[in-house]
């Protein structure tokens, strides 16, 4: 590799930031002839990562954390000098709201699947018939499937509808903001299918493969999540500060990408054209399809849905909460009349984010069948959240302040067949568009570590293509 190669990273969310950072790091460490530029349509990097500071509160308007067991996010934070600012979540009881009542999440469950018998048997979430049906997972024969299947279908077959509706669906729908009967098992939780095939039972498989031990008396359960002391946006700022001066171009939209005999022409919204040898498209699927609309193999992305969601953070004096609940929050069963889908008691989950004597509640709205709620005025969303909260908590006062955040078409739906569709598209891209690759929440995982992993994988792919003289 002798002549300089130009790589454009389109999209300044965490996937694009990761790709630009690691490409420039490789360029410096190995003295590679690379010119790396990052192009972002908005005036701010970070995508859905947005932190607001107000009256001593640290408020996340997008994601508030990442899974600790997925190591790439913490590694990136350490890379940019924030390793000493990683904070574990405060742990405590979490709840599920079913039939208007808060029920404790059965201890020992993993993603809603019970692994300990006693907490499950004594849970008020299920009728005796529901408990008996779930226990059949221990003896029900495995079923080999050709191709993909829906999450809901799979879990109903193993554990019955009651466990799905009252426990599994609220948890998984909270992650994907989707209909689990349409979501792809292969693209979201393929490990569960492997557990069924290997052990003949999800319960047996989890007992064998996961350490889900009961905390000793007086001990708290281990924290599963991490955030940053000054908010997740501090990671965005730190990565941006590490990028080469002049290598980031904001407020610039990519309209179209054309393949040329040598590389690509990237047409920008201001009428200018950037030349590139490789392009990392760290953008949602519908934007990638628009930029490459002349290629028919991108058309399946037109049919991939994305749901919209909103959240409202509300600050109170602690005295306003007359019926405090010892826990970190709750998710809501989808067959309830509640319009909120979950509530995080942020002051307990992230104590560092809230001043002493204050309370922060963060509620979420935007079910797949209630998308109109996202478009309501701020005051209506606040009222909906307060009305729902007051069915379980006695809140006497209005919030000191509230912050509503809307994310339109923000949650890509990995529906059945997602991996096959994505595989076909990427194979066609490799053949017809060498040097262009996809990264981000629309493709191979929506969590922060998943998006960071995809940014890193895109870097490896681009460097490999350049090394092998494919571009």
């Amino acid at each position: 590799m002798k002549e300089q190669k130009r790589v454009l990273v389109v999209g300044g969310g965490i996937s694009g930031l990761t790709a630009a950072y690691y490409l420039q790091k490789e360029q410096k460490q190995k003295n590679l002839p690379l010119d790396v530029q990052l192009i972002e349509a908005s005036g701010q990097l970070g995508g859905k990562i947005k932190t607001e500071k107000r009256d001593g509160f640290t408020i996340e308007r997008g994601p508030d954390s990442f899974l600790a067991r997925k190591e790439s996010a913490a590694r990136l934070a350490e890379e940019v000098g924030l390793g000493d600012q990683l904070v574990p979540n405060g742990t405590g009881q979490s709840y599920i709201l079913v039939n208007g009542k808060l029920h404790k999440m059965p201890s020992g469950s993993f993603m809603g699947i019970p692994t300990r018998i006693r907490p499950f048997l004594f849970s008020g979430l299920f009728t005796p018939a529901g408990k008996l049906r779930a226990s059949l997972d221990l003896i029900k024969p495995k079923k080999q499937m050709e191709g993909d299947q829906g999450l809901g279908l799979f879990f109903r077959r193993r554990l019955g509808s009651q466990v799905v509706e009252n426990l599994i669906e609220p948890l998984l729908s909270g992650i994907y903001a989707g209909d689990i009967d349409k979501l792809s098992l292969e693209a979201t939780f393929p490990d569960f299918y492997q557990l069924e095939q290997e052990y003949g039972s999800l319960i047996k498989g989890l007992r064998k493969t996961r350490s889900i031990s009961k905390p000793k008396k007086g001990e708290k359960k281990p924290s599963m999540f991490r955030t940053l002391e000054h908010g997740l946006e501090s990671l965005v700022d730190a990565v941006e500060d590490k990028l080469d001066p002049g290598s980031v171009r904001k407020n610039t939209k990519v309209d179209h990408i054309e393949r040329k005999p040598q590389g690509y022409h990237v047409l920008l919204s201001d009428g200018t054209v950037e030349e590139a040898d490789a392009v990392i498209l760290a953008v949602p699927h519908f934007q990638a399809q628009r930029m490459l609309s002349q290629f028919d193999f991108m058309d399946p992305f037109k049919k991939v849905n994305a749901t919209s969601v909103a959240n409202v953070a509300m600050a109170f004096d602690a005295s306003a909460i007359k019926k405090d609940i010892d826990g970190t929050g709750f998710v809501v069963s989808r067959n309830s009349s509640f319009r909120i889908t979950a509530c995080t008691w942020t002051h307990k989950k992230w104590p560092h984010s809230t001043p002493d004597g204050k309370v922060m509640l963060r509620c979420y709205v935007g079910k797949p069948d209630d998308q109109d709620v996202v478009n309501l005025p701020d005051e209506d969303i606040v009222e909906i959240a307060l009305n729902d909260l007051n069915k379980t908590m006695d809140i006497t006062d209005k919030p000191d302040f509230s912050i509503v955040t809307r994310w339109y078409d923000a949650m890509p739906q990995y529906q059945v067949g997602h991996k096959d569709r994505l595989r076909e598209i990427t194979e066609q891209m490799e053949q017809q568009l060498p040097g262009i690759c996809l990264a981000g929440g629309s493709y191979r995982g929506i969590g922060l570590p998943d998006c960071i992993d995809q940014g890193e994988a895109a870097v490896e792919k681009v460097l490999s293509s350049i090394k092998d003289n494919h571009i």
Side-chain angles (χ1 to χ4, degrees):
M1 185 170 60
K2 296 180 179 179
E3 60 178 294
Q4 188 177 63
K5 298 290 185 178
R6 195 154 196 261
V7 182
L8 292 186
V9 180
V10 181
I14 194 62
S15 297
L17 271 170
T18 298
Y21 170 75
Y22 282 117
L23 274 172
Q24 291 185 358
K25 180 183 177 183
E26 286 285 303
Q27 186 272 324
K28 293 182 182 75
Q29 288 186 341
K30 299 179 181 177
N31 195 29
L32 301 176
L34 281 181
D35 172 26
V36 180
Q37 299 287 314
L38 175 62
I39 299 175
E40 164 59 31
S42 73
Q44 183 178 354
L45 301 182
K48 290 189 280 291
I49 299 175
K50 292 191 186 299
T51 306
E52 185 158 331
K53 303 290 184 72
R54 181 165 172 179
D55 298 344
F57 291 87
T58 300
I59 303 155
E60 298 291 4
R61 305 189 69 155
D64 71 354
S65 59
F66 54 86
L67 272 172
R69 63 182 172 83
K70 296 186 176 183
E71 299 174 354
S72 56
R75 185 173 65 244
L76 180 61
E78 290 166 358
E79 282 259 357
V80 296
L82 300 181
D84 60 344
Q85 296 180 28
L86 289 166
V87 180
N89 65 294
T91 60
Q93 182 64 54
S94 52
Y95 295 83
I96 298 180
L97 193 143
V98 175
N99 297 325
K101 181 181 177 181
L102 289 176
H103 297 263
K104 291 182 178 181
M105 189 85 68
S107 60
S109 62
F110 179 78
M111 300 307 294
I113 300 168
T115 63
R116 301 216 320 264
I117 299 299
R118 185 177 175 84
F120 180 70
L121 289 178
F122 282 90
S123 173
L125 280 167
F126 320 106
T127 64
K131 295 170 185 178
L132 178 62
R133 173 61 184 86
S135 69
L136 294 180
D137 171 71
L138 294 167
I139 59 173
K140 193 175 180 67
K142 64 185 179 183
K143 183 177 181 180
Q144 290 189 332
M145 298 286 289
E146 288 189 13
D148 201 2
Q149 57 185 303
L151 270 177
L153 173 69
F154 174 77
F155 285 123
R156 288 178 208 279
R157 179 166 55 79
R158 294 302 322 171
L159 299 161
S161 292
Q162 199 174 108
V163 169
V164 170
E165 291 170 9
N166 292 355
L167 187 55
I168 294 176
E169 183 182 39
L171 291 171
L172 300 192
S173 295
I175 297 171
Y176 290 97
D179 181 345
I180 69 165
D181 288 319
K182 296 179 181 178
L183 289 175
S184 158
L185 176 67
E186 191 179 44
T188 54
F189 294 100
D191 290 351
F192 286 135
Y193 178 71
Q194 296 305 320
L195 287 177
E196 181 199 35
Q197 294 305 302
E198 186 170 351
Y199 297 98
S201 157
L202 296 181
I203 298 172
K204 290 178 184 177
L206 286 173
R207 284 178 172 175
K208 291 278 189 181
T209 59
R210 292 204 172 262
S211 174
I212 309 177
S213 58
K214 182 179 180 181
K216 295 179 181 177
K217 193 171 183 179
E219 286 185 356
K220 288 188 174 182
K221 61 182 180 181
S223 56
M224 293 175 58
F225 298 95
R226 298 289 183 272
T227 193
L228 286 161
E229 183 179 352
H230 301 294
L232 288 175
E233 197 172 312
S234 63
L235 175 61
V236 173
D237 295 339
V239 175
E240 183 177 4
D241 287 344
K242 294 286 186 181
L243 297 180
D244 294 343
S247 67
V248 177
R249 189 169 176 180
K250 301 176 185 177
N251 295 306
T252 305
K253 183 179 176 182
V254 172
D255 285 339
H256 204 59
I257 301 173
E258 296 178 352
R259 184 175 182 185
K260 297 298 180 181
Q262 297 295 324
Y264 297 93
H265 280 184
V266 179
L267 286 65
L268 306 181
S269 56
D270 60 5
T272 61
V273 176
E274 292 282 349
E275 296 183 0
D277 296 288
V279 182
I280 295 175
L281 289 178
V283 296
H285 60 279
F286 48 86
Q287 293 183 15
Q289 189 279 326
R290 174 182 57 77
M291 294 173 193
L292 295 167
S293 58
Q294 70 273 38
F295 295 95
D296 292 343
F297 64 79
M298 298 290 287
D299 285 352
F301 279 152
K302 293 179 182 178
K303 299 178 181 178
V304 176
N305 296 324
T307 54
S308 300
V309 293
N311 66 74
V312 53
M314 297 177 289
F316 300 88
D317 189 82
S319 62
I321 313 296
K322 300 305 181 187
K323 186 181 177 183
D324 192 21
I325 299 171
D326 181 21
T328 56
F330 64 89
V331 293
V332 180
S333 170
R334 293 300 189 264
N335 52 22
S336 79
S337 61
F338 279 55
R339 295 190 78 179
I340 64 172
T341 59
C343 177
T344 300
W345 298 318
T346 305
H347 58 292
K348 294 185 176 182
K349 186 178 179 183
W350 305 111
H352 72 282
S353 70
T354 305
D356 291 341
K358 297 292 183 180
V359 165
M360 174 65 70
L361 304 177
R362 191 177 185 219
C363 294
Y364 306 81
V365 296
K367 299 178 186 178
D369 59 354
D370 188 20
Q371 290 286 280
D372 290 342
V373 70
V374 178
N375 298 312
L376 293 176
D378 286 4
E379 56 268 24
D380 289 359
I381 292 178
V382 172
E383 185 178 357
I384 286 169
L386 287 173
N387 285 342
D388 280 355
L389 287 176
N390 272 316
K391 296 171 186 174
T392 57
M393 305 171 70
D394 185 6
I395 303 175
T396 59
D397 301 335
K398 296 293 184 183
D400 295 342
F401 67 85
S402 59
I403 297 175
V404 175
T405 307
R406 296 169 183 80
W407 296 108
Y408 292 105
D409 298 326
M411 304 298 290
Q413 298 300 290
Y414 293 2
Q415 294 189 348
V416 174
H418 175 83
K419 287 188 78 171
D420 286 339
R421 286 189 293 272
L422 185 59
R423 189 181 303 115
E424 291 172 6
I425 289 170
T426 52
E427 286 175 357
Q428 288 293 322
M429 289 183 76
E430 288 170 359
Q431 293 174 18
Q432 300 188 45
L433 299 169
I436 295 187
C437 54
L438 302 169
S442 284
Y443 311 111
R444 297 177 178 87
I446 62 173
L448 293 185
D450 299 313
C451 291
I452 291 168
D453 289 343
Q454 292 177 70
E456 291 187 31
V459 169
E460 292 298 321
K461 194 169 183 179
V462 166
L463 292 178
S464 176
S465 294
I466 293 174
K467 182 181 177 182
D468 295 339
N469 293 317
H470 291 156
I471 58 174

